[in-house]
Amino acid sequence: MTGVRRTGSTRGVSFEPTPLRGPRPAPPPEPADRAGITEDARELARALQAVQAAPDVRELRIAALRKAIAEGRYQPDPREIARKLMERGGFDPEGTS
């Protein structure tokens, strides 16, 4: 047994405890809080930049339609309008909404 030895005293045995392990190592440091931008956020930022850089087609389309109306050239087809409303779900054929 480690730390036990015979002596000449009346008790006959002395015990000197020895540590089973050396000094405990320091616990690893906790990870620091990290701030950063994820790849998803970078992709979203790139998409936003692309949208902002694109010309506003809607404004151009509205201006062209206004001009056509003013000049009497705009003749919408009611059947085409109804078809597109049905395709996009903007109309309830049952008339319940």
Side-chain angles (χ1 to χ4, degrees):
M1 284 182 12
T2 306
V4 177
R5 60 187 165 87
R6 187 172 265 295
T7 66
S9 72
T10 55
R11 293 185 73 184
V13 176
S14 112
F15 179 74
E16 296 174 17
T18 57
L20 297 177
R21 297 182 223 146
R24 285 188 158 169
E30 292 191 23
D33 291 338
R34 295 185 334 174
I37 300 174
T38 65
E39 187 56 38
D40 288 342
R42 285 187 189 99
E43 186 176 341
L44 184 59
R46 286 190 296 269
L48 180 60
Q49 287 175 345
V51 168
Q52 290 173 340
D56 195 351
V57 178
R58 189 171 209 64
E59 285 184 22
L60 297 174
R61 175 83 174 128
I62 291 171
L65 286 170
R66 284 184 178 159
K67 184 177 179 184
I69 291 168
E71 294 172 355
R73 294 182 293 112
Y74 182 66
Q75 301 295 322
D77 179 5
R79 291 178 193 258
E80 183 65 17
I81 292 170
R83 184 183 68 75
K84 287 190 178 187
L85 282 171
M86 294 293 286
E87 283 176 3
R88 295 179 184 170
F91 179 75
D92 181 7
E94 302 296 321
T96 58
S97 59

